[in-house]
Amino acid sequence: MKIKSKILIIAGSDSSGGAGIQADIKTVTSLGSYSLTAVTAVTVQNTKGVRSVIPIPSNEIKNQIIFSAKDIKPNGIKIGMLHSKLVIKKVVESLKMLRTKKIVLDPVMVAKGGAKLIDNEAIKILKNELMPKVSLITPNIPEAEVLTGLKINSRESMLQAANKLINLGAKNVLIKGGHLKSKNVEDIFLNKSDFKIFTSPRYKTNNTHGTGCTLSSAITTFFSCGKSLKKACELGIKYVNLAILTNPKYGKGHGPINHLSSIEIKKKFR
Ligand code: PXL
């Protein structure tokens, strides 16, 4: 199989393999693209929770990005866990040095079990300095609440929060509705001129560890292969839904999803 595109993944390691950079690599690979990585932190965890987080020094994160991506030029960049202000500043500096325009930011804040993966002062920098520079930001409801200061408990308040993020400088926003207590899951895509609600069935399962990482990586892959961002979101959501539906039931806590549930990218990479 011919490789369709190259994705740089900037994210933390999840030793249990369901989320973080492991989920990202599996997703990008199963959708037919090549991944290179910059590891931002090493977590010790299993499906029941996070035991520890060791940050990688911010200079080393920048070195990983620049040294590897100046050699193998990525068509798209996915950004996940960035735990501190300094790391975010180094990532912003690094992005400036690369030419890659297609960048998706998953503003990771808390792991499924409740462990914090970012510190408070970093959130402000992420919002002010990184968010305006990326193509798409993909917060879930708690993350969108932190980023906007709004309480989100309905489709209307999701839309309000998405609008606020656009007014704060985000180019495109996908707010994921999985945390709301609705029959179906609604994810809202918004930019200055377009708007779309993606409706998916809600599956009754605890095995949703890494869905956010997986979705943002899938979107980055489809986007890097020439799909529009809106279409890439639609295809990414389909991929994650299928991955949840066919989850392998591993572990005693929040189990991983099935990254091998690939769907075909029809449009050829240009
Ligand atoms: O799903 C968010 C996430 C991102 N990155 C790492 C994680 C997690 C959740 O556990 O461990 C490294």
Side-chain angles (χ1 to χ4, degrees):
M1 181 176 172
K2 193 167 176 293
I3 293 176
K4 296 188 172 80
S5 71
K6 293 162 286 173
I7 308 294
L8 167 64
I9 301 162
I10 304 170
S13 162
D14 166 10
S15 59
S16 74
I21 214 154
Q22 287 79 357
D24 299 328
I25 296 170
K26 291 172 195 183
T27 300
V28 169
T29 307
S30 89
L31 293 175
S33 290
Y34 176 87
S35 40
L36 55 160
T37 61
V39 180
T40 59
V42 175
T43 72
V44 173
Q45 59 180 305
N46 63 23
T47 62
K48 292 168 94 175
V50 177
R51 176 173 287 184
S52 71
V53 179
I54 303 290
I56 303 296
S58 57
N59 258 331
E60 277 309 290
I61 297 172
K62 184 175 176 184
N63 288 342
Q64 292 177 73
I65 298 172
I66 300 302
F67 199 65
S68 304
K70 282 268 180 197
D71 179 34
I72 301 178
K73 292 194 170 58
N75 308 103
I77 301 176
K78 177 248 150 92
I79 306 174
M81 178 183 172
L82 304 173
H83 46 282
S84 71
K85 187 168 126 181
L86 199 57
V87 170
I88 296 170
K89 284 187 173 288
K90 290 287 177 192
V91 167
V92 170
E93 278 175 34
S94 309
L95 295 178
K96 261 191 215 149
M97 297 172 71
L98 303 178
R99 290 267 169 76
T100 308
K101 291 278 177 306
K102 297 179 174 182
I103 307 173
V104 177
L105 171 64
D106 182 18
V108 172
M109 294 184 189
V110 185
K112 272 267 141 49
K116 276 195 85 169
L117 299 174
I118 184 170
D119 62 38
N120 287 337
E121 64 168 358
I123 293 173
K124 212 169 98 192
I125 306 289
L126 183 139
K127 188 163 88 174
N128 296 337
E129 295 187 23
L130 183 55
M131 186 173 80
K133 297 193 171 66
V134 302
S135 318
L136 172 73
I137 181 165
T138 64
N140 59 26
I141 300 245
E143 289 157 356
E145 286 183 330
V146 169
L147 290 169
T148 60
L150 297 171
K151 177 85 198 127
I152 304 175
N153 50 21
S154 62
R155 182 195 292 160
E156 289 66 36
S157 47
M158 272 173 86
L159 195 52
Q160 227 178 355
N163 264 304
K164 186 156 180 184
L165 290 171
I166 295 293
N167 290 333
L168 287 168
K171 295 183 187 119
N172 295 276
V173 177
L174 180 71
I175 300 190
K176 301 168 290 186
H179 286 77
L180 288 190
K181 286 193 174 62
S182 49
K183 183 170 173 285
N184 291 316
V185 177
E186 291 183 340
D187 303 314
I188 295 187
F189 174 83
L190 183 82
N191 60 29
K192 280 215 163 87
S193 58
D194 202 2
F195 156 73
K196 170 90 187 167
I197 297 181
F198 299 106
T199 305
S200 319
R202 183 184 289 282
Y203 301 119
K204 248 203 167 124
T205 175
N206 260 337
N207 301 331
T208 55
H209 180 60
T211 44
C213 308
T214 302
L215 177 61
S216 52
S217 287
I219 293 171
T220 310
T221 308
F222 289 118
F223 187 35
S224 75
C225 290
K227 300 286 183 194
S228 73
L229 255 183
K230 189 162 86 172
K231 189 70 186 174
C233 288
E234 181 190 327
L235 294 172
I237 290 166
K238 272 191 190 161
Y239 172 69
V240 171
N241 284 337
L242 195 58
I244 297 172
L245 188 65
T246 61
N247 80 79
K249 301 182 176 62
Y250 291 160
K252 296 182 181 68
H254 293 286
I257 60 177
N258 175 13
H259 293 101
L260 294 177
S261 66
S262 331
I263 49 179
E264 230 178 274
I265 303 173
K266 296 220 177 66
K267 196 167 175 178
K268 267 183 109 178
F269 170 62
R270 272 174 290 176

